[in-house]
Amino acid sequence: MQRAVAFPALCLLLNLHAAGSFSGDNDRFLPIHQRKSGKPIFIHRHVQGIEKSLDTNHQKTYKHNVRSLFHSKVSNLQPGIIEKSTFPRSAYDPSLNLLAMTGQDLEVENLPVPAVNLIVVTLQMDVNKLNRTLLQLFRRGVASSLGIQPQQVHINRLIGKKNSVELFVSPANRKAGTFEALPSEEVLQSLDINVLHQSLSQFGITDISPETNVLQGQHEADKIWSKEGFYAVVIFFSIFVIIVTCLMVLYRLKEKFRFSLRRAKEKNQEIHLSPIPLQATQTETKTVNAMVQPRLAPKAVNTTVDPPNRGTADIKASISAGPSPFKMKPVGLQERRGSNVSLTLDMSGLGSVDPFAAVPIPREKVSLEYLQTASRVLTKSQLQDTVATSHVLQTEFMEIPMNFVDPKEIDIPRHGTKNRYKTILPNPLSRVCLKPKNATDALSTYINANYIRGYGGKERAFIATQGPMITTVNDFWQMIWQEDSPVIVMITKLKEKNEKCVLYWPEKRGIYGKVEVLVIGVKECDNYTVRDLTLKQGSQSQNVKHYWYTSWPDHKTPDSAQPLLQLMLDVEMDRMASAGRGPIVVHCSAGIGRTGCFIATCIGCQQLKEEGVVDILSIVCQLRVDRGGMVQTSEQYEFVHHALSLYESRHSAEAIQ
């Protein structure tokens, strides 16, 4: 009886196994109890067969329970296929390795496979419904389309979001326990599409393509600081150091070359004395204290010396020809040590001597001569015509020397700390010198400002200076007090991209060094602001007007010259009202561009008013003799012509009326 029951049950189990009822995540085995023999007893629930797995219409599934008791024979039926899918899964998901055969090394699957070895197959069928049997069929279909063994096809991942299967193919001679994979491009070239669609038509394959493995990308990201990367960084840093070193060497060579040029320039400017034949008309006389003694009777000497940097120093004398009047006496100890009395000249016996002077470099001599002699007088009609020929004005402007000052010409230690720009320096001959705080502090006398001659060569009509800095605000107000300036003209904003000037006046009251500044009133005009200031020092006081012109655009000239002309007329009225006081102080940022335009316009307007003609070229040259770089660009040079042309037109109209 027992044999009769056991045999049909065994046949039923074999049929179920053939239908795949022991495979996939849809087969669940629940342990009920365990006999004394140690073998578990299972309840098997068959959920879905292969036909139902291929059904995409979500038909109603039928479930039935089959309860059987398995003895020792059950353990012999495919023991490696039973999956404990109802138990909690670990981080390593076994469903990604459903095709792994018994005894196969599972570490080969779900690895960071290189992107060149991966193939992604996109399906119409829901990959979440794939069980073990379906994946075996899928694996065999891919193998048959490639003409290889199914063991060479490896399922790496099931991608639910893309509804695709990620796989790779290993070579036929792969060693056990090692990872080898064929390139995806090579595999796709050997793929037979027709065979693939015939064998896997029920899966609905829509796309086959290579794709980057996410795990591989992460693995490669971890290798950023690899050995090769470290070497690359070291090589890059070494090249950078070499380039910087070469640039430093080139800079040092450039500085050395410039220093040698300056030394040559200084040598060319040395004064050389040579014996001059004189007429012997007097008997020899000797002076005890003279190192160079004349042998002839005294003669009158007429000496004419021009200031340095303006022309050659000439010494003209008229005496008779004869033997050399110089006779050297023995040099004493004091003279050999370089005392300032080591050379004493007794000129009482000199007659007529040819002039001797320092010979400047030819280029500098030509530039100075041009600034002192250049002229182009324009009548009113010529002024109007010249404004229309901008190219002529540009050519004329380019010929005017800038006459910038060499830092070596200013013999004041650390004067650079008081300069806003390194290359914009005051001319030493016309520089404004402040009263020193003590006899040994030469820096306290320095301010980047120059006296500027006005119309008709009037001395100290203006002062052109840079915009005050934080370190020079006290010096600025000391200069205003010292020079008794009635008007300050500021032609810049405080900031235009970069800082142009600091706010050097108070809102109501401020003390700057020894000068107290009080703001009495403020008047807002269309293009500028006027402040009435009172300066106090001790019991003395001065009244100063401060004009702040803010309509000048940065790095170009105004569209109209009318606001500047109006400012100039207001300043001129204040100057006339304060006759007998000091110069008008004008500043922008560097103290040469807009400042030069304003001063040149003032001088040109006075010349037009007094003479009816104007010589703008001569005016600009005169400004640059006093302070290098005045009227800084060709556009500003043209703007001065436009402003004077507008002034002449209105002045003529007023004269007619």
Side-chain angles (χ1 to χ4, degrees), residues 220-423:
E220 291 177 354
D222 295 337
K223 292 185 177 181
I224 293 178
W225 289 104
S226 61
K227 186 176 181 180
E228 292 78 6
F230 174 75
Y231 288 156
V233 171
V234 171
I235 293 174
F236 174 79
F237 182 75
S238 302
I239 295 175
F240 176 77
V241 171
I242 293 173
I243 293 175
V244 172
T245 305
C246 293
L247 292 176
M248 292 178 64
V249 171
L250 292 176
Y251 177 78
R252 295 295 299 173
L253 291 175
K254 177 183 176 182
E255 290 297 319
K256 186 176 180 180
F257 178 72
R258 293 177 61 182
F259 179 75
S260 62
L261 288 179
R262 286 196 297 267
R263 292 294 299 273
K265 174 182 173 181
E266 293 173 358
K267 289 181 179 180
N268 292 331
Q269 291 180 341
E270 291 179 355
I271 299 177
H272 302 281
L273 300 178
S274 57
I276 301 174
L278 301 174
Q279 292 181 354
T281 58
Q282 300 287 340
T283 59
E284 179 180 356
T285 61
K286 293 185 180 181
T287 304
V288 177
N289 296 327
M291 289 186 60
V292 182
Q293 301 175 358
R295 295 183 179 178
L296 302 177
K299 294 291 182 180
V301 180
N302 297 325
T303 306
T304 303
V305 181
D306 289 340
N309 297 330
R310 293 194 181 182
T312 58
D314 298 333
I315 298 180
K316 299 179 180 179
S318 177
I319 60 175
S320 303
S324 173
F326 299 106
K327 178 181 179 183
M328 301 298 296
K329 79 171 189 177
V331 180
L333 178 62
Q334 186 179 20
E335 289 82 355
R336 286 199 303 267
R337 290 180 177 176
S339 170
N340 55 0
V341 297
S342 59
L343 177 61
T344 305
L345 297 177
D346 187 352
M347 308 297 292
S348 58
L350 287 177
S352 177
V353 182
D354 290 340
F356 62 91
V359 180
I361 297 177
R363 179 180 59 82
E364 291 186 352
K365 182 178 180 180
V366 172
S367 299
L368 198 56
E369 289 179 355
Y370 185 94
L371 293 176
Q372 292 175 341
T373 59
S375 175
R376 187 162 77 101
V377 180
L378 300 175
T379 63
K380 297 179 180 180
S381 59
Q382 290 175 341
L383 177 61
Q384 301 294 337
D385 296 337
T386 305
V387 170
T389 57
S390 61
H391 63 283
V392 175
L393 295 178
Q394 291 178 3
T395 303
E396 183 177 275
F397 174 82
M398 296 303 294
E399 294 177 356
I400 306 175
M402 297 298 287
N403 196 35
F404 282 126
V405 175
D406 192 330
K408 297 292 185 180
E409 299 181 38
I410 302 177
D411 189 18
I412 298 178
R414 298 184 295 109
H415 68 86
T417 58
K418 293 188 175 184
N419 297 322
R420 180 173 289 276
Y421 303 99
K422 295 180 179 180
T423 57

Side-chain angles (χ1 to χ4, degrees), residues 1-10 71 73:
M1 181 66 182
Q2 293 179 353
R3 292 181 179 178
V5 175
F7 181 74
L10 181 60
H71 300 288
K73 294 182 179 180

Side-chain angles (χ1 to χ4, degrees), residues 310 430 451-462 582-583 626:
R310 293 194 181 182
S430 59
Y451 296 110
I452 305 296
R453 289 170 291 171
Y455 170 67
K458 179 183 177 182
E459 295 291 336
R460 301 190 177 186
F462 301 91
D626 294 334

